[in-house]
Amino acid sequence: MFKRNLKSLTALMLIVLMIVSMVTGCSQQSATTQKTEQQSSEKLYNAGTYTGEGKGNNGTIKVEVTFTDAAIESIKVIEHSETAGLSDPAIERIPTKIVEGQTLKVDAVTGATNSSKGIIEAVTSCVQQAGGDVESLKSAESQAIKEEAKSIEKEADLLIVGAGGAGLTAANAAMENGVENVILIEKLASFAGASSIAGGLAGGGSKLQKSFGLTDDSPEKIFMDIMKGGEYANDPRLTWLWANEMGPTLDWLIEDMGVVIENQFSNFPEHSVQRSYYVTGKSIKMLEVLAEKFEAAGGTLMMETEAKSLIMDGDAVVGAVAVDGEGNTVNIKAEKTILATGGFGNNPDMLSEALDGVLFYGASSSTGDGINMAKDAGAELKFMDYVKMYPQGIEVEPGKGRVATVHSMQTTQNTGAIYVNKEGKRVVDENLDFVSIKNATKKQTDKIIYLVMDQKAWDKWSVLANGDENSSAAGKFTFEEQEKWFNTPDGTPIFRRGNNIEEVAKSAGIEGVALKETIDNWNKMVAAGEDSEFGREELFTLDTNGTYYIVEQKLRFATTLGGLSINENFEVLNANNEAISGLYAAGENVGGIHGYESMPTCMLSWAVTSGKLAGESVAAALNK
Ligand SMILES: Cc1cc2nc3c(=O)[nH]c(=O)nc-3n(C[C@H](O)[C@H](O)[C@H](O)COP(=O)(O)OP(=O)(O)OC[C@H]3O[C@@H](n4cnc5c(N)ncnc54)[C@H](O)[C@@H]3O)c2cc1C
């Protein structure tokens, strides 16, 4: 009886417990539902459509953002002057990421950082106008659902790392020569490596050169010019190979690949014959055409896929491990691997101390990845201390520069502007070639020369520096920036304006009395019709009354000349000069080809020629 009662009591308690838990569950559920409903009905914005502006790479980016009371509903980029091709991924993806995630905390698209930042800045302005909470949106985690990272296995006959001029030509040449399964991986979202921003390429011995009536170029002349340019420190075997293949490669790009190259580039004195050309639509167009051609031929192009290390089988390289844009690990097994990852100028750990104070203005992707991966596989490195250095850079952020060459050159050619050192003395004939200006800069104790301008000279420099819609971002200094830099609290970059010579000299840290003497002496020489100090021919007086301006001119570099040691088959060599099985290299990550100083238009020519030859070499090895 007692037992039966106990049983029914237990059953009763269970029923009570179930009812209690159901009620609690119900109330919890309704609390959650209520909260969500509350959230979605919470007024976060003043609904409507707003326009905002942000600063992109080439100028202003304008967006139109539509808000409901509770959400950012849509974003349209309505105006911009960003570079087609390079900025496309940012323009497509950043608005989507903001809307899907309902956050301003979105990562910039790799290779389109400034465009990404410009869009975010413009949307931020709209959020502000709509009365949204900018600060909390800047730290809000994305509401978009993220998939878990996985491991992906791939196999290829040939893996190429880096889709610049070298990688894309290697990929096409390999396929053209019968390699069937080629995978090309690129860490950026667009083809924004150094090749995309290069101006011109050499094509001595090409049909195009002959079409301009220049029939007297030859591999011998090309070889001697390049060797002389590199102070005879260049690898002669590779230089000879390149001198013979430079013209045929340009013909191949035009005829087989369909790249439009039809115009001559500047005629540089370093080339004994005019042999420089530029791609119609700029160099980025060449990369896009090559990529299309590669994919049309059946090649696999994987963007936003960054090689992290090489896969080794004993001493042989058999592919690479990469990480894709979603964070997945991609293991790519390949019989042959070509490294075409460009230079290392944007990796301070790899730069020699001699480059302290020399500004980098090259591609952000130039971080020496291929060189480091190959080094781990036993590769020998050479010429790692050498870069192609230029004068007339302005430090726009710590260690990073932009190019003031044309503005400064045209100002010194047409006004009385002069270059002085911090001791207030003139340093060079201001209108000499860039090597002379570079050497004059190198000689100074602070490795800086200063452009001294009266009002007339400044007016010229300032307008040229501001540029127009066609100006390259690497050489543009907007009026707003110029004004801002006159007033920066830490005085960087050295951009100074003063009511007179003494005042401007003092604020620039230049010896004022000496500068005054230098200017007086300059004016006397102009009056006498002869620059007895340096022999400059363009003589214009400097107005000694009125506002004066001083702008720094520092050394700068974009490309590195050091890297992997290779043989004529483009195989990477180890310290014993033996080929590392399965590993090849082309383009800027090869060291020593240019010697101590690369020739104008020869870096891009080397990238495409070495890429094509490396692709052919791999094809020959695989077809054996
Ligand atoms: C501003 C500027 C102007 C120039 N002007 C000229 C000129 O007028 N004439 C001339 O001859 N040369 C010029 N150069 C130099 C020339 O552009 C380069 O030396 C040449 O284009 C290098 O080609 P590349 O294919 O070796 O490297 P890049 O074009 O840099 O290509 C390397 C590619 O590899 C990718 N990559 C890097 N690491 C990885 C990784 N781990 N995984 C996957 N992908 C990776 C990069 O994102 C990049 O797309 C200029 C350079 C700059 C920066």
Side-chain angles (χ1 to χ4, degrees):
M1 174 75 179
F2 176 74
K3 252 186 177 174
R4 201 190 305 152
N5 280 349
L6 198 68
K7 255 188 176 171
S8 38
L9 185 69
T10 316
L12 190 72
M13 278 176 72
L14 265 172
I15 292 166
V16 171
L17 262 174
M18 273 168 68
I19 293 169
V20 169
S21 80
M22 272 169 70
V23 171
T24 326
C26 258
S27 67
Q28 264 173 1
Q29 204 177 359
S30 68
T32 320
T33 320
Q34 249 176 19
K35 203 174 162 207
T36 318
E37 275 165 9
Q38 235 174 34
Q39 244 177 11
S40 61
S41 63
E42 204 178 326
K43 187 168 157 55
L44 300 175
Y45 307 102
N46 298 318
T49 299
Y50 302 82
T51 53
E53 291 183 357
K55 189 176 172 303
N57 206 40
N58 298 346
T60 304
I61 299 179
K62 215 173 186 180
V63 302
E64 190 179 86
V65 185
T66 301
F67 297 87
T68 63
D69 282 351
I72 305 170
E73 195 177 59
S74 67
I75 299 170
K76 268 190 233 156
V77 175
I78 51 174
E79 259 177 56
H80 72 87
S81 52
E82 303 298 275
T83 312
L86 298 183
S87 63
D88 294 353
I91 290 168
E92 278 160 26
R93 286 193 221 157
I94 296 292
T96 312
K97 279 188 180 176
I98 296 175
V99 173
E100 281 180 3
Q102 293 295 306
T103 176
L104 290 171
K105 191 182 167 192
V106 293
D107 291 336
V109 172
T110 50
T113 308
N114 291 337
S115 308
S116 304
K117 283 185 181 165
I119 298 168
I120 297 168
E121 187 189 339
V123 176
T124 305
S125 148
C126 294
V127 171
Q128 238 153 13
Q129 295 171 53
D133 183 346
V134 169
E135 285 318 307
S136 69
L137 274 187
K138 274 186 180 167
S139 56
E141 289 309 324
S142 174
Q143 292 173 23
I145 298 157
K146 220 178 164 211
E147 279 182 27
E148 239 175 64
K150 47 189 184 290
S151 196
I152 299 168
E153 305 298 320
K154 298 255 175 202
E155 279 192 10
D157 299 325
L158 168 62
L159 165 66
I160 300 166
V161 185
L168 283 159
T169 46
N172 278 291
M175 295 215 66
E176 212 179 43
N177 286 278
V179 184
E180 281 173 7
N181 182 358
V182 181
I183 296 180
L184 170 58
I185 62 173
E186 167 54 50
K187 70 177 173 182
L188 303 179
S190 61
F191 305 109
S195 301
S196 69
I197 36 183
L201 77 167
S206 62
K207 292 181 192 164
L208 183 62
Q209 189 187 34
K210 293 189 179 74
S211 77
F212 285 102
L214 298 164
T215 51
D216 60 343
D217 207 357
S218 65
E220 287 77 10
K221 277 189 186 167
I222 299 169
F223 176 81
M224 285 315 294
D225 285 351
I226 296 175
M227 293 299 290
K228 186 174 166 216
E231 297 171 38
Y232 302 97
N234 326 47
D235 182 324
R237 300 156 310 143
L238 288 168
T239 307
W240 179 241
L241 189 60
W242 173 24
N244 279 277
E245 293 296 329
M246 179 187 273
T249 300
L250 197 81
D251 294 338
W252 174 78
L253 283 172
I254 297 168
E255 292 170 4
D256 292 33
M257 296 292 109
V259 180
V260 182
I261 305 171
E262 50 196 0
N263 294 307
Q264 289 180 326
F265 198 51
S266 310
N267 188 7
F268 296 94
E270 290 87 341
H271 290 284
S272 59
V273 182
Q274 163 59 307
R275 56 170 84 99
S276 298
Y277 307 94
Y278 66 87
V279 178
T280 303
K282 300 194 180 159
S283 297
I284 174 71
K285 189 74 198 160
M286 172 174 76
L287 305 183
E288 288 169 355
V289 169
L290 288 170
E292 270 171 35
K293 189 91 185 165
F294 171 62
E295 286 193 291
T300 305
L301 175 60
M302 298 170 68
M303 301 300 288
E304 283 183 278
T305 304
E306 179 172 356
K308 294 288 187 186
S309 60
L310 296 173
I311 303 174
M312 303 298 295
D313 180 3
D315 289 340
V317 171
V318 290
V321 178
V323 173
D324 73 11
E326 267 81 53
N328 301 314
T329 301
V330 192
N331 298 305
I332 309 169
K333 288 269 181 64
E335 270 195 63
K336 308 281 181 194
T337 300
I338 299 179
L339 295 171
T341 60
F344 58 90
N346 197 28
N347 186 342
D349 292 344
M350 294 175 78
L351 299 175
S352 88
E353 277 177 17
L355 290 171
D356 284 355
V358 182
L359 311 175
F360 178 66
Y361 71 103
S364 61
S365 59
S366 298
T367 45
D369 302 8
I371 298 172
N372 285 328
M373 286 187 284
K375 193 176 158 206
D376 290 344
E380 174 75 350
L381 309 186
K382 55 201 236 189
F383 281 72
M384 292 300 286
D385 288 347
Y386 293 90
V387 302
K388 184 165 177 62
M389 206 185 286
Y390 289 93
Q392 294 145 325
I394 293 176
E395 190 166 11
V396 294
E397 55 180 282
K400 300 280 162 65
R402 275 190 234 144
V403 184
T405 300
V406 174
H407 334 316
S408 304
M409 203 173 74
Q410 291 195 15
T411 303
T412 55
Q413 280 169 354
N414 295 291
T415 72
I418 53 172
Y419 286 133
V420 302
N421 56 19
K422 75 176 168 129
E423 289 76 29
K425 301 266 196 292
R426 259 182 92 213
V427 293
V428 68
D429 168 352
E430 288 78 2
N431 294 327
L432 285 183
D433 58 288
F434 84 79
V435 175
S436 307
I437 309 286
K438 174 178 79 174
N439 290 339
T441 312
K442 267 182 166 176
K443 266 194 228 150
Q444 306 312 317
T445 44
D446 56 358
K447 287 201 223 148
I448 308 175
I449 58 174
Y450 302 86
L451 183 62
V452 178
M453 295 172 273
D454 60 7
Q455 187 65 47
K456 191 172 169 208
W458 167 257
D459 289 344
K460 180 148 195 78
W461 193 93
S462 169
V463 169
L464 286 166
N466 181 65
D468 57 28
E469 66 281 3
N470 296 318
S471 309
S472 120
K476 200 171 162 69
F477 306 87
T478 63
F479 290 133
E480 293 78 39
E481 284 175 325
Q482 296 172 21
E483 201 51 45
K484 184 179 81 188
W485 290 331
F486 283 135
N487 300 305
T488 45
D490 68 347
T492 314
I494 301 168
F495 243 75
R496 298 289 186 272
R497 177 171 50 199
N499 290 322
N500 51 51
I501 297 167
E502 289 82 356
E503 192 181 300
V504 78
K506 192 168 174 221
S507 70
I510 292 173
E511 180 50 60
V513 177
L515 179 60
K516 180 93 184 39
E517 267 174 33
T518 298
I519 292 173
D520 288 343
N521 190 37
W522 166 253
N523 282 339
K524 276 185 204 148
M525 292 192 292
V526 174
E530 191 193 352
D531 172 11
S532 50
E533 212 176 359
F534 293 108
R536 171 169 155 186
E537 287 176 0
E538 301 74 14
L539 302 174
F540 304 91
T541 45
L542 277 166
D543 188 352
T544 44
N545 298 310
T547 312
Y548 255 78
Y549 300 81
I550 288 178
V551 171
E552 69 177 25
Q553 309 272 300
K554 292 184 173 170
L555 295 166
R556 61 184 167 93
F557 78 102
T559 46
T560 43
L561 307 180
L564 304 169
S565 178
I566 59 167
N567 62 19
E568 288 106 308
N569 296 325
F570 293 81
E571 291 166 299
V572 175
L573 303 176
N574 64 18
N576 300 323
N577 251 357
E578 296 155 350
I580 298 174
S581 178
L583 190 61
Y584 295 70
E588 201 180 316
N589 62 17
V590 171
I593 181 71
H594 303 285
Y596 296 141
E597 174 70 80
S598 77
M599 299 263 292
T601 66
C602 276
M603 302 286 294
L604 189 56
S605 164
W606 165 250
V608 293
T609 309
S610 62
K612 176 174 178 281
L613 294 175
E616 288 169 1
S617 173
V618 166
L622 287 173
N623 292 336
K624 256 186 199 160

